Amino acid sequence: MTGGSKIRYTTQLQAGLGLIEETKSLLSIYKPGMTVTELYDAALESGLFPMVSARRLKNIIGECFSPRYLKTDSARFLKPISKNAPAHVFNQHLFVFTALANQILFNFIIEIYWNRYAGGRDMLSIDDARDFVSQAVNEGKTQKPWSETTIRRVSSYLIGCCADYGMLSSKRSPVRQIQSIRLEEYTLLFFSYWLHFQQMGDNRIIKHDLWQLFGLTPDDVREALKRISKKDWLIVQSAADVTRISWRFNSLEEVVDVITES
C-alpha cells in the first residue's frame, strides 16, 4: 500500500486504535500459520483477556490484529521483537503496520500531521482531523458518504491512534500537543529489508511512501541507510539520483535476530 493508492477509506479503526498491550498478548499466544479462528480460540482459552468480552475479543482479532499482522505475515516476526526488543522499537513496528492497514490513518499522518509539524505548529486538534475526514468524504474516498456522526467518530479515532503511538500527547483534549517521532534504526533496518524481500528495487525502496510516516524524504532515507551501513547491516552506494544497496542478510529472520540480540 502507498499513500497515493485508490483504496477506499474505512471505519476499521473503530475496532481498536493502537491496541499495543492487546497485540503483545495476542503475539504471545500466536503460532505461525494460525488462522483468525484458531487465534481467537487460543486467546479465549488463555485467560489473558479476563476483562474483554468474547465478542469484543473476536472483533479485535478479526478487525485489528488480522489485517495488520496476519495478512502481512508480520506476526511471526513481531512475536520475538515483542519479547526481546525495547518497547519503543516494538511499538514503532506496530505503528507502521497499523498505518499500512488503515489508509485513512496513513494519509492523515502524511498530509496533516507532518504538514502541521513542518509548518511550525506544535498542536493538532480534533477539528483538524474532522476537516480532513470531511474533505475525504466530499472527494468520494469512502465507499459511501459518511454521516456527521461517523465523521466525528473517525476523527477522534485518528487523533487517538496517533496518541497511542506517541505522536500526540496522551491527555484527552480537543487539542493535543504534537510529539515528533524519530525513525529508530531497528525500524529502518526491518522495513528496508521487509521491502527488499518483496522484490522491490533499491531506488523504489528509498522512495517508498511508508518512510513519509516519519516525515522523511527519499534523501533523508538514503542518508539514514548510509548511517546504519556503518553497523555492517548493509552497504549503500549512491551517485546522483541512483542508489545501490548490497544486502547482507538473507532473510527477515536474520534481521529479527539482529534486533532482538542487540
Side-chain angles (χ1 to χ4, degrees):
M1 178 193 296
T2 64
S5 69
K6 294 181 180 179
I7 294 175
R8 298 284 185 178
Y9 291 170
T10 72
T11 60
Q12 197 170 58
L13 273 177
Q14 70 185 349
L17 305 181
L19 289 175
I20 293 171
E21 291 307 314
E22 293 90 340
T23 298
K24 195 167 186 176
S25 294
L26 286 170
L27 286 171
S28 72
I29 301 165
Y30 169 80
K31 295 179 181 178
M34 265 188 170
T35 64
V36 169
T37 300
E38 289 169 341
L39 180 58
Y40 170 67
D41 291 340
L44 273 181
E45 296 172 4
S46 71
L48 293 177
F49 302 91
M51 306 302 292
V52 180
S53 70
R55 181 177 180 180
R56 172 65 179 144
L57 183 59
K58 187 173 185 178
N59 204 29
I60 287 173
I61 294 172
E63 297 297 317
C64 297
F65 192 91
S66 177
R68 298 176 191 182
Y69 314 118
L70 293 184
K71 291 181 180 178
T72 57
D73 194 29
S74 59
R76 62 193 177 104
F77 305 114
L78 292 172
K79 185 181 178 82
I81 292 174
S82 72
K83 292 192 294 185
N84 301 305
H88 64 278
V89 171
F90 171 64
N91 294 353
Q92 202 164 86
H93 283 68
L94 299 192
F95 160 62
V96 175
F97 281 117
T98 299
L100 289 173
N102 293 274
Q103 188 77 27
I104 190 169
L105 174 65
F106 192 108
N107 287 8
F108 176 71
I109 292 167
I110 292 173
E111 297 172 17
I112 305 301
Y113 178 91
W114 283 112
N115 279 342
R116 295 293 187 275
Y117 180 82
R121 288 181 51 175
D122 60 359
M123 307 296 284
L124 193 63
S125 71
I126 189 71
D127 288 337
D128 292 324
R130 189 178 293 122
D131 289 344
F132 168 78
V133 177
S134 295
Q135 183 177 345
V137 173
N138 290 337
E139 292 175 353
K141 292 181 178 178
T142 54
Q143 196 72 39
K144 59 182 180 180
W146 288 349
S147 67
E148 282 302 316
T149 300
T150 299
I151 291 173
R152 186 170 61 252
R153 288 202 333 264
V154 172
S155 302
S156 69
Y157 302 152
L158 294 172
I159 295 295
C161 202
C162 286
D164 281 356
Y165 290 120
M167 305 178 73
L168 296 172
S169 58
S170 57
K171 182 179 180 181
R172 291 187 177 276
S173 168
V175 181
R176 305 278 190 117
Q177 184 86 28
I178 291 176
Q179 300 175 164
S180 66
I181 57 171
R182 180 179 62 85
L183 176 63
E184 297 288 340
E185 287 187 343
Y186 289 131
T187 310
L188 172 62
L189 171 67
F190 179 90
F191 283 100
S192 59
Y193 271 93
W194 184 70
L195 295 171
H196 169 65
F197 288 125
Q198 293 180 45
Q199 309 305 314
M200 287 192 188
D202 298 343
N203 288 286
R204 188 179 170 198
I205 289 171
I206 287 172
K207 295 176 181 177
H208 199 279
D209 283 356
L210 77 78
W211 308 119
Q212 293 183 49
L213 292 170
F214 300 93
L216 301 180
T217 66
D219 285 342
D220 295 330
V221 177
R222 187 181 296 108
E223 291 307 308
L225 288 170
K226 286 181 180 178
R227 286 195 295 273
I228 68 169
S229 71
K230 296 176 182 178
K231 299 193 174 184
D232 202 27
W233 293 339
L234 40 71
I235 299 172
V236 181
Q237 297 172 306
S238 60
D241 197 35
V242 178
T243 300
R244 293 191 64 181
I245 302 174
S246 298
W247 303 92
R248 176 184 172 190
F249 304 118
N250 296 314
S251 68
L252 270 177
E253 284 83 1
E254 291 183 29
V255 174
V256 170
D257 285 344
V258 171
I259 296 172
T260 56
E261 292 173 3
S262 299

